[in-house]
């Protein structure tokens, strides 16, 4: 019998984590869940441990760990429970793990991603912020560790699915890529009244069901800005060769425009189980459980350019990529803080853009050419301080 792929899911209680377990549960003969992790929802993690019986579970605090151990021991489950960020890195690099699904949200996922990359794992990357912050250093770790980096973000999975397996041919094939964006809930909203929108309105995405942070990012289109930066590293493309178009139906997940003018696109219903299944089974394909596209029901597919007045943050992606090393890390940190403040009701929706732009203006990164992971995380911390200062000026 073929060996099962031994999988650790970092952030298993989140939207991508739950969808991953959904796909995995369809193929018990192919996958074995060896590690699961949660940050807040220990109750959900307990249920996942009951069902998937992992060897290791990781939570945030020692108190949570003690509580989970107590609950598990009553049920004869032998899962070892650990706590803290170091335990996440150890799980990501453990000998018992073949593949890591990186589904933590934010820069908090960078260290465990780097650990998985250095340990040469098959790394399924949903956690785009980790690559936005890690940039070239992340890609060096992937190469040095001999890891297999597989994009899970639907747009990047789409591009990856349109390209041949031999990546040495990519540069000469690709003229440019086009990332599609839904435009989010405020695609047609009057930009002048965006200051009145609430967190509940911002997280109500028209096509995708996702975590709160990425949902707000979709509403500002900062999600697409992060994805432009992500694509730059995943496909080794100059910023000029990455374009964005709004496609409100979210059926075409992205496109590769080849040197000869031919356009390759990947289509499907908007369901993360498709890119997740592809990452799990690559280069094979397996049942994902996602609903099928029904061409008889499809009314139309439309495309339009993003309006810079409504989505001023999008351009920051190209600005950051042209800036000194570390600029993308500053942008990401500012945005994480601004989104958290918006969700907490401290700043209004348009202030997210103001905080991001102000932080980029005030903090010029000065990283040396041989900077380290600690240098990047130090820059991330300074950018958060700067963003919190900026926020005071834009408080609601
Ligand atoms: P989510 O908020 O639903 O889940 C996040 C997970 O990370 C949870 O399990 C949470 O416990 C854990 N977590 C949060 N903060 C943590 C921390 N500081 N340390 C350790 N663990 C922490 O988020 P999501 O929507 O599943 O998104 C996860 C990642 O995947 C994000 O980077 C997002 O941009 C990316 N992504 C998500 C989707 C989607 O459809 N949800 C699509 C594409 C990309
Ligand atoms: Mg995406």
């Amino acid at each position: 019998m073929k060996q099962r792929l031994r999988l650790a899911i970092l952030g298993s209680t989140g939207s991508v984590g739950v969808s991953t377990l959904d796909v995995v549960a369809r193929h018990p003969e192919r996958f074995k869940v060896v590690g699961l992790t949660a940050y807040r929802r220990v109750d959900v993690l307990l249920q996942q441990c009951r069902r998937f019986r992992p060897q290791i579970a990781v939570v945030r605090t020692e108190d949570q760990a003690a509580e989970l151990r107590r609950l598990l021991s009553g049920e004869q489950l032998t899962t070892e429970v650990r706590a803290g960020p170091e335990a996440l890195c150890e799980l990501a690099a453990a000998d018992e793990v073949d593949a890591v699904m990186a589904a933590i949200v934010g820069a908090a996922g960078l260290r465990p991603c780097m650990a998985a990359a250095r340990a040469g794992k098959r790394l399924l990357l949903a956690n785009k912020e980790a690559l936005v912050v890690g940039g070239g250093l992340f890609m060096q770790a992937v190469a040095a560790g001999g890891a297999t980096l597989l994009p899970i973000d639907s747009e990047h999975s789409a591009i990856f699915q349109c390209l041949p397996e031999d990546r040495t041919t990519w540069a000469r094939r690709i003229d440019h890529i086009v990332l599609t964006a839904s435009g989010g809930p405020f695609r047609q909203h009057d930009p002048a009244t965006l200051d009145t929108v609430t967190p509940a309105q911002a997280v109500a995405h028209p096509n995708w069901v996702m975590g709160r942070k990425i949902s707000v990012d979709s509403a500002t289109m900062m999600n697409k800005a992060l994805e432009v930066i992500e694509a730059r590293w995943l496909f080794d493309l100059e910023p000029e060769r990455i374009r964005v178009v709004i496609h409100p139906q979210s059926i075409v997940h992205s496109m590769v425009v080849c040197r000869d003018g031919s356009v390759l696109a990947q289509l499907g219903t908007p369901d993360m189980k498709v890119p997740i299944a592809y990452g799990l089974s690559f280069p094979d394909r397996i049942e994902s459980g996602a609903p099928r596209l029904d061409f008889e029901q499809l009314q139309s597919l439309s495309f339009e350019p993003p309006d810079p007045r409504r989505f001023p943050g999008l351009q920051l992606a190209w600005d950051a990529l042209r800036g000194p090393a570390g600029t993308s890390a500053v942008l990401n940190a500012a945005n994480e803080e601004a989104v958290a403040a918006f969700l907490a009701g401290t700043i209004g929706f348009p202030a997210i853009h103001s905080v991001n732009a102000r932080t980029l203006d005030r903090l010029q990164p000065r990283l040396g050419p041989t900077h380290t992971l600690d240098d990047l995380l130090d820059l991330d911390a300074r950018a958060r301080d700067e963003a919190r200062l900026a926020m005071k000026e834009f408080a609601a």
Side-chain angles (χ1 to χ4, degrees):
M1 202 182 96
K2 235 182 102 194
Q3 288 287 323
R4 290 192 292 170
L5 187 79
R6 299 168 302 170
L7 182 66
I9 305 174
L10 312 182
S12 63
T13 55
S15 163
V16 171
V18 167
S19 294
T20 304
L21 285 170
D22 196 326
V23 178
V24 164
R26 292 170 186 274
H27 305 280
E29 73 298 347
R30 288 186 78 119
F31 306 110
K32 179 175 160 48
V33 176
V34 294
L36 296 173
T37 86
Y39 197 62
R40 290 205 178 81
R41 314 236 9 223
V42 178
D43 54 330
V44 178
L45 185 62
L46 172 66
Q47 287 166 20
Q48 294 179 341
C49 288
R50 281 188 188 129
R51 177 144 186 228
F52 294 94
R53 300 178 164 264
Q55 277 164 253
I56 302 169
V58 181
V59 291
R60 183 165 61 98
T61 65
E62 284 300 340
D63 284 353
Q64 289 174 335
E67 171 68 1
L68 185 59
R69 274 184 213 116
R70 192 182 63 74
L71 293 164
L72 288 171
S73 68
E75 308 186 23
Q76 276 91 50
L77 285 171
T78 54
T79 303
E80 180 193 337
V81 184
R82 308 196 48 204
E86 201 46 47
L88 288 175
C89 294
E90 284 167 16
L91 172 61
D95 288 342
E96 297 86 347
V97 171
D98 303 312
V100 173
M101 164 56 86
I104 287 175
V105 58
L110 176 56
R111 266 191 203 282
C113 278
M114 291 287 280
R118 287 179 182 137
K121 304 299 184 195
R122 181 184 177 108
L123 177 53
L124 282 64
L125 185 74
N127 183 194
K128 68 192 82 186
E129 297 90 346
L131 186 51
V132 168
V133 177
L137 204 65
F138 190 122
M139 297 310 287
Q140 280 165 25
V142 168
T148 305
L149 182 59
L150 298 168
I152 298 300
D153 215 346
S154 58
E155 296 76 3
H156 307 73
S157 173
I159 304 284
F160 185 66
Q161 292 182 54
C162 291
L163 292 170
E165 266 177 56
D166 180 1
R167 24 181 95 223
T168 61
T169 68
W170 290 1
R172 63 173 194 270
R173 277 169 192 270
I174 305 175
D175 182 75
H176 65 276
I177 62 171
V178 183
L179 303 179
T180 53
S182 68
F186 307 136
R187 180 173 63 92
Q188 291 171 316
H189 202 96
D190 176 1
T193 61
L194 277 173
D195 53 344
T196 60
V197 302
T198 64
Q201 287 173 301
V203 299
H205 197 279
N207 306 339
W208 299 89
V209 182
M210 309 184 286
R212 283 161 68 77
K213 192 263 176 180
I214 184 175
S215 297
V216 175
D217 283 347
S218 299
T220 56
M221 266 185 97
M222 277 308 296
N223 181 48
K224 214 49 55 179
L226 299 176
E227 290 183 357
V228 167
I229 300 170
E230 184 186 13
R232 182 262 171 272
W233 295 111
L234 282 173
F235 305 111
D236 194 19
L237 287 172
E238 299 89 6
E240 303 70 45
R241 297 212 278 152
I242 307 170
R243 300 186 192 163
V244 169
V245 69
I246 289 188
H247 165 46
Q249 298 83 13
S250 299
I251 299 293
V252 177
H253 296 316
S254 278
M255 297 169 268
V256 176
V257 182
C258 304
R259 296 276 182 196
D260 57 8
S262 181
V263 183
L264 305 173
Q266 185 263 349
L267 283 71
T269 48
D271 189 321
M272 285 303 289
K273 289 199 286 296
V274 175
I276 289 168
Y278 193 59
L280 286 168
S281 64
F282 172 83
D284 202 357
R285 292 208 182 240
I286 55 172
E287 173 59 52
S288 66
R292 298 301 190 248
L293 200 54
D294 179 350
F295 284 96
E296 288 174 15
Q297 294 295 315
L298 269 186
Q299 298 290 318
S300 66
L301 298 179
S302 60
F303 301 89
E304 65 196 42
D307 176 352
R309 287 175 314 136
R310 236 181 231 112
F311 303 113
L314 182 59
Q315 180 57 37
L316 297 180
W318 290 273
D319 297 348
L321 285 172
R322 290 188 189 110
T327 310
S328 300
V330 172
L331 173 60
N332 179 72
N335 186 58
E336 283 190 30
E337 291 299 317
V339 170
F342 168 68
L343 285 171
T346 331
I347 62 171
F349 184 80
I352 297 174
H353 296 300
S354 315
V355 169
N356 291 347
R358 182 66 56 90
T359 307
L360 281 172
D361 275 352
R362 294 225 174 120
L363 184 60
Q364 301 288 322
R366 293 192 212 290
L367 295 173
T370 56
H371 60 266
T372 63
L373 179 57
D374 284 335
D375 294 334
L376 279 175
L377 293 173
D378 178 60
L379 181 62
D380 170 274
R382 283 190 291 133
R384 285 171 201 269
D385 290 343
E386 203 63 61
R388 282 191 286 262
L389 280 178
M391 247 172 244
K392 293 197 177 126
E393 295 167 44
F394 302 110

